Amino acid sequence: MNNKTNSKEFETIKSGYNKNPSLSKSLHKEAYINPSWYDTDLESIISRTWQWVCHTEKLREAGSYITIDIANQPIMIIRDDKGLLKAFYNVCQHRAHKLIDGEGLINRITCPYHAWTYNLDGKLIRAPHTEKLDQFELEDICLNEVQVEEFCGFIFVNLDKKASSLKQQSKNLESEIKHWAPDIDKLTFGHRLTYDIKSNWKNVVDNFLECYHCPTAHKDFCELVDMETYKVTTYGIYSSHMAEAGNSPNAAYDVSSATVKTHAVWWLWPTTCLMRYPGRSSMIVLNIIPVGPDRTLETYDFFLETPEPNEMELDSIRYLDEVLQVEDIDIVESVQRGMNTPAFTQGRIVNDPEGSGKSEHAVHHFHGLILDAYENA
């Protein structure tokens, strides 16, 4: 655990939590507003879990690469000459300069500072003017590697070298996703939405994991899907959220010609959400990115049958961007402001033992994983 926190503060955070969701309160507000707990989140959760990067289509060709930041750490993911996927800290081993930016295609990795050059497998192959150095061998130097894995058509990385594979940790998740989205590997990028939210990342996840608020805050969504069929099931490190498409016209977008009739959503601990809305075959990836105690970035990437969205998909993108996200961002920012007042400490989890969508048992499941991570730190 971060040295700014201690066991007494941990007891405060988990006070009120009960393993039985019908007896439990939510996490103490300090977990959402205290900067020291945000630091703990980065060190004990984000740096030790599998983080979504992109669809595999972006890194299929040898030399293709993408760069990202995870828990403030610069990372590059690259396909080497042998077709193997590699991930490294994006840091030169000479003087720590960033090696590459953005995404694209390269044959070698060359530092823009002193031109130290690495193969695509991370091994140093050139270091100008080092011939006269004592005890200096190129083959002794390699980029610092991190774990990378292809999973369900997507690429994930984990900064924890000791972590078990995502496939092993998530158990049946891959087979479940491929049952509902058998063509996920063949989908292609179509559109991205981005948001900058004035809220702690855990509030954003909390809100995503329950539809108890939907009849009040998302009336259009409750017409888009049949709330009577909405079922939420929690597993080890993920939860599934399933509902059938609504049978009557709705104000969200027209799904009368939809070939996919099931609203299927998977939340993967801690920050990845995979969504399959009614319409054509597709997958929307929501990536929740903590960037401060009270600030979160979100990206919504739409992977479709074709690079260009059709009319129904354009309507669904508009609905998500102009209606659903506006509603949800207003909610989580209001919650964050409320947590910063003396009027709130923690609230009661509303649980339906039958697992309906109008229940907060998936939020409770998430809070249990948070507390486990804090305790294990």
Side-chain angles (χ1 to χ4, degrees):
M1 189 175 294
N2 187 285
N3 58 14
K4 296 178 183 177
T5 61
N6 55 43
S7 59
K8 183 178 180 180
E9 290 174 326
F10 175 64
E11 291 302 319
T12 297
I13 292 298
K14 73 174 185 178
S15 64
Y17 177 85
N18 190 297
K19 289 186 177 181
N20 180 351
S22 291
L23 293 173
S24 186
K25 292 183 179 180
S26 60
L27 291 179
H28 193 282
K29 72 173 185 180
E30 285 297 309
Y32 298 83
I33 66 173
N34 190 324
S36 67
W37 284 106
Y38 171 74
D39 293 340
T40 301
D41 287 346
L42 294 188
E43 295 171 13
S44 304
I45 298 175
I46 306 303
S47 295
R48 299 186 182 186
T49 53
W50 288 97
Q51 299 291 310
W52 183 84
V53 178
C54 63
H55 194 282
T56 55
E57 71 171 355
K58 189 162 284 190
L59 295 174
R60 283 181 177 145
E61 188 176 347
S64 55
Y65 74 90
I66 185 171
T67 62
I68 58 170
D69 285 344
I70 295 175
N72 298 326
Q73 303 299 308
I75 304 297
M76 71 169 81
I77 303 94
I78 194 163
R79 183 79 66 177
D80 74 10
D81 295 325
K82 297 179 181 178
L84 298 176
L85 201 59
K86 298 283 187 176
F88 307 98
Y89 282 93
N90 191 6
V91 176
C92 183
Q93 297 301 288
H94 173 221
R95 293 274 296 282
H97 197 282
K98 180 187 283 189
L99 289 163
I100 53 179
D101 285 301
E103 57 187 69
L105 275 172
I106 51 176
N107 295 318
R108 297 286 187 270
I109 303 166
T110 301
C111 181
Y113 194 9
H114 298 100
W116 279 36
T117 301
Y118 305 82
N119 267 335
L120 301 183
D121 62 3
K123 295 177 182 177
L124 184 66
I125 57 173
R126 180 175 180 267
H129 311 299
T130 58
E131 296 82 4
K132 297 180 181 180
L133 293 182
D134 295 331
Q135 299 180 13
F136 180 86
E137 301 293 339
L138 294 179
E139 56 266 27
D140 292 338
I141 298 175
C142 186
L143 297 179
N144 197 308
E145 197 164 356
V146 299
Q147 289 204 72
V148 61
E149 184 173 343
E150 296 183 54
F151 180 84
C152 283
F154 297 107
I155 292 169
F156 292 78
V157 297
N158 194 327
L159 305 190
D160 183 359
K161 294 182 179 180
K162 297 180 180 179
S164 57
S165 72
L166 178 55
K167 186 179 182 69
Q168 181 179 351
Q169 287 188 30
S170 62
K171 297 183 179 179
N172 295 326
L173 177 58
E174 183 174 32
S175 59
E176 185 176 333
I177 291 176
K178 289 190 173 180
H179 169 77
W180 292 102
D183 60 346
I184 190 169
D185 295 339
K186 300 176 182 178
L187 299 176
T188 189
F189 176 77
H191 193 76
R192 167 172 278 197
L193 299 172
T194 60
Y195 305 94
D196 192 334
I197 304 172
K198 298 173 183 177
S199 176
N200 184 272
W201 72 278
K202 295 187 293 295
N203 266 329
V204 176
V205 175
D206 286 350
N207 181 69
F208 182 87
L209 289 176
E210 51 93 352
C211 217
Y212 181 42
H213 69 284
C214 291
T216 306
H218 303 314
K219 297 186 186 301
D220 294 342
F221 180 80
C222 293
E223 296 175 350
L224 176 65
V225 303
D226 181 358
M227 288 300 295
E228 296 302 315
T229 66
Y230 206 118
K231 180 81 171 178
V232 179
T233 309
T234 61
Y235 302 90
I237 64 164
Y238 75 97
S239 57
S240 66
H241 307 245
M242 301 287 182
E244 294 302 315
N247 295 318
S248 57
N250 69 84
Y253 63 94
D254 182 14
V255 295
S256 59
S257 61
T259 55
V260 173
K261 301 289 187 179
T262 301
H263 174 71
V265 174
W266 297 270
W267 167 78
L268 174 61
W269 161 259
T271 54
T272 304
C273 309
L274 306 173
M275 301 178 282
R276 194 165 166 88
Y277 270 54
R280 280 200 303 177
S281 181
S282 66
M283 187 64 72
I284 307 168
V285 181
L286 164 58
N287 191 26
I288 298 168
I289 307 166
V291 291
D294 57 359
R295 185 177 173 219
T296 302
L297 300 181
E298 281 187 340
T299 59
Y300 276 78
D301 284 343
F302 293 76
F303 298 95
L304 312 171
E305 292 182 12
T306 57
E308 295 297 326
N310 66 15
E311 185 175 350
M312 180 167 44
E313 288 160 348
L314 288 172
D315 283 343
S316 70
I317 292 169
R318 175 202 55 77
Y319 166 67
L320 278 167
D321 186 35
E322 299 178 9
V323 180
L324 194 60
Q325 274 298 96
V326 172
E327 294 167 344
D328 274 332
I329 291 172
D330 284 347
I331 288 169
V332 297
E333 291 185 342
S334 176
V335 168
Q336 189 70 27
R337 290 192 297 270
M339 285 184 169
N340 277 283
T341 71
F344 180 84
T345 301
Q346 58 192 148
R348 187 66 183 262
I349 293 292
V350 176
N351 179 52
D352 175 9
E354 299 299 318
S356 76
K358 299 173 185 177
S359 173
E360 297 175 323
H361 58 286
V363 177
H364 176 265
H365 172 243
F366 170 53
H367 291 179
L369 291 171
I370 291 283
L371 292 174
D372 287 346
Y374 287 171
E375 191 164 25
N376 292 334

